[in-house]
Amino acid sequence: MIKFRISIALFFFFVLLGALYLSFFFPREAKVFPLLVLIPSVPLAALNIYSEGRNSKSARGDVFPSSFLLVFCGVLLFILCGWLLGITAGLPFALFLYLKILSRETWKTAIVSTFLGWIVLYFGFEVILRQSFEKGILWSFFFLE
Amino acid sequence: MVPIFIQAFSLLLQPGSLLAMAVGLVVGLVVGVVPGIGGPFALALLMPLAYNMDPLFGVVMLVTLVSVVGNGGSVSAILIGVPGTPTNVATIIDGYQLTIKGEAGRALSACLVASAIGGIFGAVVLITIMPVMRSLILSFGHPEQFMLALLGISFIAILGEGSMIKAAVAAALGFVVALTGYDPISGVPRYDLGLVYLYDGIKILPLTLGLFALPELMELYRERENAPPRTFSLSEVLQGIRDVFAHLFLVLRCSVLGTIIGMIPGLGGDTAVFLAYAHAKQTSQYPERFGHGEIAGVIAPETANNAKEGGALIPTLGFGIPGSVVMAILISAFIVLGLQPGPIMMQKQPELIMVIALLTGITNVVGSFICLIAAKGLVKLANLRAKVLVPWIILLIVIGSYVPNKSFADVIVTTFFGFLGLFMKTFSYPRVVLLLVVVLGKTLELNFWMGLQYFGPAMFLRPVVILFMTLIMGTFWFELYRTKRRRASST
């Protein structure tokens, strides 16, 4: 994890370096402002790597929250379900899966939350706010819509 | 002036006006609380309804909605760390930290009272400034707008806690994000990586939700085990009100700032709230407390957020020039209602202008009061166990980033910036600097070019520009001096 601190500083350095490199190929009007910003920024990012390297010698290790995986799995689950089943059906389903599998909640909590989620999405967004969400990819695949 | 005031007040007391106000209040607050929707969407939603109404009632409904939507947005920003509207983004930084500390009631009441004062201030300015506003608006050209944006970024970056190098790196990354997409001058796409999605640039809302909401969710699991419960007692409400009056001078300064920025077309509400936040931090005795639950960090942006509405109405009603996206939609709604904002409206229908000004003030107070009453129930929601609350917040984040453009790409952008936000938080890079630069980046570049085109290098010799440059340099040297003194005292 100590190395991670330097990796992040390196990542930022390369992002800025890449942006600086790309800026040289823009037309004159488009490149002046990026160059004005990035030419002094790249050396600063390099200095940041040095500074992080020095700091990490005294650091005991940077620990991510233990919930890191849980939350990102949750987000991916919501994206996947929304994409496959559509927003109105997919997100409440993802809510159910999250509560039942990741949070290990009771059936009652999971079902009630799922139903509430569907009410919010269907009545709140589709009926009252007149939002028309796309159907999920599976819906189109099976029902050829 | 007095007869117009009385006439406007009597128009507002008509049953139809009161009903229209109630509809605008309810829709505005609900839309404000739900992340990702915001004022433009709500206005577009109510426009067909207003079309069939008496023009007065239609105006009352729409102006009420615009005035209170920010109040609703601040409730979700403080309680669950997800901004209801893009202009509530700055409120999350300290508001949500206060909620984590168990001071949700204090944060909410301070925020809502400050909003009400800001709203009233904006309305009073709107009423009084009408005769002299033309020269004021025209005195703020592109060079001044460029320097004002630069000033805001500098204040945040220089005065933030931690390394100035990291702040500079975060600002540079913010510029890369802000400049992604079509260049406003040459029309060439920049940093698009061959992706069509990036031609339009990275949208603020998905980025904000990722940078601020997702990393906080991870903390939510951990802090819930030891955190005090979110409470909302009368003593907390009173404490929040006392906080506002203890920072009354800050409230007044941020009201002025918000109103002036609201007046300048194109600068927008995001600029107002972040400049107010930066100003609060710059003038605070304890700038290191910002970002960790400093009440002034809630009061300042919320005051400016509501004050800017009165300011934005000045060019909208006075010249027919919208001060923001919301105002542009409002003008089109006025035209649909058969009204033409501009000098003719000011001459022929001054009572309508007064109705709008009065509404801006009254609805802010009423909206804040309603939010305070409803907040007690909302705080209970925030006390749900993390295992139940987190998936609901993820659902709101996904919906918030998806709804504005109906694009899953926006949700993926949110996730990407969620990772970035977590890394930045873990390794002490100031996320707020990155966000502020993204918000102001395009404005900076555009005003830089326009300033150069109109004035050449002499744009840097204008008095207000020189004043702003002096302020930036002064802040930089002051911070260096302060750091040196801190080091000397610690050794």
Side-chain angles (χ1 to χ4, degrees):
Chain A
M1 274 300 191
I2 291 171
K3 293 278 190 295
F4 213 82
R5 179 183 283 271
I6 302 169
S7 308
I8 291 296
L10 267 171
F11 170 71
F12 289 159
F13 171 74
F14 282 116
V15 168
L16 294 178
L17 194 66
L20 178 64
Y21 173 74
L22 288 174
S23 304
F24 284 110
F25 298 100
F26 297 149
R28 194 180 69 90
E29 294 86 0
K31 75 176 169 190
V32 170
F33 198 74
L35 289 180
L36 272 176
V37 171
L38 290 170
I39 288 174
S41 302
V42 172
L44 277 173
L47 191 65
N48 184 43
I49 301 170
Y50 169 72
S51 156
E52 289 294 80
R54 249 184 23 174
N55 289 343
S56 63
K57 282 177 190 162
S58 57
R60 296 167 80 193
D62 307 298
V63 183
F64 282 117
S66 55
S67 51
F68 177 79
L69 264 178
L70 198 64
V71 169
F72 273 100
C73 283
V75 173
L76 293 180
L77 178 75
F78 274 82
I79 295 174
L80 193 71
C81 287
W83 181 61
L84 289 174
L85 300 170
I87 291 287
T88 318
L91 296 194
F93 183 61
L95 189 66
F96 175 80
L97 290 180
Y98 193 108
L99 286 167
K100 202 60 216 144
I101 298 168
L102 296 176
S103 295
R104 291 178 189 161
E105 285 294 323
T106 58
W107 282 100
K108 188 182 158 190
T109 310
I111 290 169
V112 168
S113 292
T114 307
F115 183 63
L116 281 176
W118 180 78
I119 287 182
V120 168
L121 290 171
Y122 182 71
F123 284 102
F125 283 88
E126 289 208 24
V127 177
I128 299 173
L129 297 180
R130 294 183 210 161
Q131 293 284 298
S132 53
F133 294 129
E134 277 180 41
K135 298 256 193 277
I137 197 115
L138 279 184
W139 188 272
S140 316
F141 184 74
F142 284 115
F143 298 95
L144 297 173
E145 283 199 5
Chain B
M1 195 78 161
V2 175
I4 296 171
F5 184 85
I6 295 168
Q7 194 187 352
F9 213 78
S10 64
L11 286 173
L12 269 181
L13 288 177
Q14 288 181 19
S17 297
L18 293 173
L19 187 67
M21 208 190 297
V23 173
L25 264 171
V26 171
V27 176
L29 290 176
V30 170
V31 163
V33 169
V34 179
I37 303 180
F41 173 81
L43 264 177
L45 185 83
L46 283 192
M47 257 171 74
L49 186 65
Y51 182 69
N52 298 318
M53 293 170 115
D54 180 283
L56 171 71
F57 303 151
V59 166
V60 168
M61 185 175 72
L62 296 176
V63 173
T64 304
L65 183 140
V66 170
S67 304
V68 300
V69 80
N71 291 8
S74 57
V75 173
S76 45
I78 289 174
L79 289 182
I80 57 173
V82 180
T85 63
T87 51
N88 298 114
V89 167
T91 312
I92 299 179
I93 302 167
D94 281 282
Y96 186 60
Q97 290 300 321
L98 280 165
T99 302
I100 288 173
K101 284 182 184 174
E103 297 179 49
R106 179 186 171 206
L108 265 178
S109 68
C111 155
L112 293 169
V113 173
S115 298
I117 295 176
I120 293 169
F121 186 90
V124 171
V125 172
L126 174 62
I127 293 167
T128 49
I129 213 164
M130 281 288 184
V132 289
M133 68 185 168
R134 187 181 165 81
S135 55
L136 191 74
I137 291 169
L138 293 181
S139 71
F140 230 77
H142 294 292
E144 286 79 13
Q145 291 186 32
F146 168 74
M147 285 312 294
L148 185 67
L150 201 61
L151 187 75
I153 294 171
S154 311
F155 278 171
I156 291 271
I158 295 170
L159 296 166
E161 63 173 306
S163 156
M164 260 203 252
I165 297 174
K166 282 187 176 178
V169 171
L173 287 170
F175 271 113
V176 174
V177 175
L179 300 180
T180 299
Y182 282 113
D183 167 40
I185 306 294
S186 66
V188 175
R190 294 181 291 193
Y191 311 126
D192 58 296
L193 308 174
L195 300 169
V196 178
Y197 173 83
L198 291 179
Y199 282 12
D200 283 340
I202 292 171
K203 283 110 192 160
I204 300 288
L205 195 64
L207 177 135
T208 310
L209 286 169
L211 266 185
F212 286 93
L214 278 181
E216 302 308 326
L217 270 189
M218 290 160 206
E219 291 290 314
L220 197 68
Y221 273 108
R222 198 166 50 179
E223 56 88 9
R224 272 301 168 97
E225 289 163 20
N226 306 316
R230 278 92 163 130
T231 53
F232 196 80
S233 60
L234 186 64
S235 62
E236 271 195 44
V237 175
L238 293 175
Q239 177 60 44
I241 295 169
R242 274 199 294 274
D243 284 328
V244 174
F245 287 99
H247 293 87
L248 198 59
F249 193 45
L250 176 72
V251 170
L252 288 176
R253 289 195 312 263
C254 291
S255 299
V256 173
L257 192 73
T259 311
I260 291 173
I261 292 172
M263 272 186 230
I264 303 165
L267 271 185
D270 305 341
T271 313
V273 294
F274 274 107
L275 281 182
Y277 185 83
H279 171 70
K281 194 169 183 175
Q282 183 225 356
T283 52
S284 170
Q285 282 182 312
Y286 313 103
E288 69 281 357
R289 286 189 195 166
F290 281 72
H292 301 286
E294 169 62 34
I295 197 75
V298 176
I299 292 170
E302 281 302 323
T303 308
N305 189 19
N306 285 40
K308 78 168 194 311
E309 297 302 349
L313 279 167
I314 293 172
T316 307
L317 299 174
F319 306 117
I321 300 168
S324 62
V325 178
V326 174
M327 291 301 148
I329 301 173
L330 195 65
I331 284 186
S332 57
F334 281 179
I335 293 168
V336 167
L337 290 167
L339 305 165
Q340 184 64 54
I344 297 171
M345 188 176 173
M346 284 185 72
Q347 269 183 350
K348 293 191 175 172
Q349 294 165 300
E351 72 287 348
L352 200 58
I353 305 262
M354 186 61 84
V355 163
I356 293 169
L358 284 173
L359 266 178
T360 316
I362 293 169
T363 50
N364 262 295
V365 176
V366 178
S368 294
F369 186 68
I370 291 174
C371 278
L372 268 178
I373 294 170
K376 195 169 182 179
L378 290 167
V379 168
K380 279 181 189 161
L381 273 181
N383 276 327
L384 281 172
R385 276 175 297 132
K387 281 181 172 182
V388 178
L389 189 63
V390 167
W392 271 100
I393 298 177
I394 295 178
L395 186 140
L396 286 176
I397 290 171
V398 171
I399 274 287
S401 48
Y402 175 85
V403 165
N405 301 302
K406 306 265 174 56
S407 161
F408 271 108
D410 284 347
V411 186
I412 291 164
V413 167
T414 302
T415 314
F416 171 78
F417 280 101
F419 273 111
L420 188 70
L422 180 72
F423 296 145
M424 290 183 78
K425 188 179 176 185
T426 310
F427 302 119
S428 310
Y429 290 86
R431 288 174 291 170
V432 65
V433 173
L434 191 150
L435 180 65
L436 182 68
V437 174
V438 174
V439 169
L440 298 180
K442 280 248 161 76
T443 309
L444 261 172
E445 188 185 21
L446 193 65
N447 284 310
F448 173 74
W449 274 111
M450 299 297 268
L452 273 183
Q453 274 187 355
Y454 284 119
F455 304 99
M459 74 178 260
F460 295 106
L461 299 175
R462 288 163 71 88
V464 178
V465 173
I466 292 173
L467 174 76
F468 285 164
M469 276 199 286
T470 315
L471 273 173
I472 294 171
M473 295 303 289
T475 316
F476 181 72
W477 288 115
F478 169 73
E479 184 57 25
L480 278 185
Y481 169 73
R482 205 172 57 164
T483 313
K484 204 174 166 186
R485 271 193 65 177
R486 242 187 251 155
R487 276 188 195 150
S489 63
S490 64
T491 50

